Each structure stands twice: as C-alpha cells, then as structure tokens.
Amino acid sequence: MELFMMREELSLQEKLEYRNILNGIGEILLRLNFLGQYQVISDLLNLLDKNEDMIFIKELNGVNMWGGAGAVWEVGIQEKKDEITFINKLIELIDFMETTNVLGRGIKSIKRILSSIKQVT
C-alpha cells in the first residue's frame, strides 16, 4: 500500500506509542494462537528496536498487516470480548498512523469496516 507522505523517521514518543499499541495487538494474537500474525507484529517491534523507521513505516502499511486472507486485521476471533478488544486496538493503530502521518491508502476503508463490525457485535 502506498503512503501519502513518506516520513523518514519517527520521534521517540511516537515509537513508544506504536510499541504500546502493537504490544496490545500482539498479546491478543499470541494468546489466541495466531502465530503467523503475531510474527508480523513481532517483526514490526524489532524494526522499532533497530530504529529502522522507514522500513517500519513501509511494513506497517504492508499487505501482512492490511492485505487479504492471512493479514493481521483479517484474523477471525470467535470470542466477542476478544474480538472487540482486538478491533479497538486496530482502530487505535489506524488513528495513530493517521496522527503521525504514515497512513497508507486503503487503510481508512478498513477502519470503516472494523467500526461496522464492532457495532454489530
């Protein structure tokens, strides 16, 4: 997914907030045994640790997070409480991506889908 404006680096505060949000997503994925998707989150966290901001931003907007079947956002969570928590964390991530000006095209529509799923459950 293409970025509107490619940033070259993130501030320390932005990295800390991304870490917080991604850890929340990762904890849910690990607990529910979505190991492939957990690995995507783990890889993103490793990029933050290595200060690989441009690669982090690219991967954060990539198909492993927001693509089709098998992407992080596409996991099917059966337990409603976990599903709502997961959706809320993904929406929080999308909102922060927008705030930090790294949101790629197409992801806002995913936020609308997530919001509508949340309303139904």
Side-chain angles (χ1 to χ4, degrees):
M1 295 183 183
E2 195 174 316
L3 303 178
F4 292 121
M5 290 181 60
M6 175 63 98
R7 289 188 56 190
E8 293 186 13
E9 60 184 50
L10 300 168
S11 72
L12 178 58
Q13 187 60 39
E14 290 170 332
K15 289 178 188 183
L16 291 172
E17 185 62 22
Y18 274 116
R19 173 169 290 291
N20 179 47
I21 296 167
L22 291 170
N23 275 327
I25 293 169
E27 287 171 7
I28 295 166
L29 293 170
L30 186 59
R31 183 169 46 81
L32 298 176
N33 211 29
F34 289 104
L35 301 181
Q37 291 82 2
Y38 172 77
Q39 186 61 53
V40 172
I41 300 299
S42 180
D43 291 346
L44 286 168
L45 291 167
N46 286 333
L47 289 169
L48 282 176
D49 287 343
K50 294 177 183 176
N51 292 313
E52 296 281 356
D53 294 1
M54 287 183 66
I55 299 170
F56 170 80
I57 292 166
K58 180 180 180 223
E59 293 299 315
L60 182 62
N61 280 280
V63 295
N64 290 330
M65 279 295 296
W66 309 109
V72 170
W73 85 279
E74 283 274 330
V75 298
I77 298 176
Q78 300 304 312
E79 175 62 43
K80 292 301 176 194
K81 181 180 175 190
D82 288 331
E83 181 184 32
I84 294 295
T85 302
F86 184 71
I87 288 171
N88 284 337
K89 289 307 268 184
L90 289 175
I91 290 171
E92 181 182 359
L93 176 61
I94 293 169
D95 287 343
F96 195 63
M97 290 170 70
E98 189 169 23
T99 298
T100 58
N101 206 26
V102 301
L103 187 67
R105 285 195 260 169
I107 299 174
K108 279 188 179 183
S109 62
I110 292 173
K111 179 181 172 184
R112 285 190 294 275
I113 293 167
L114 291 169
S115 295
S116 67
I117 292 170
K118 190 170 99 170
Q119 289 175 356
V120 171
T121 55

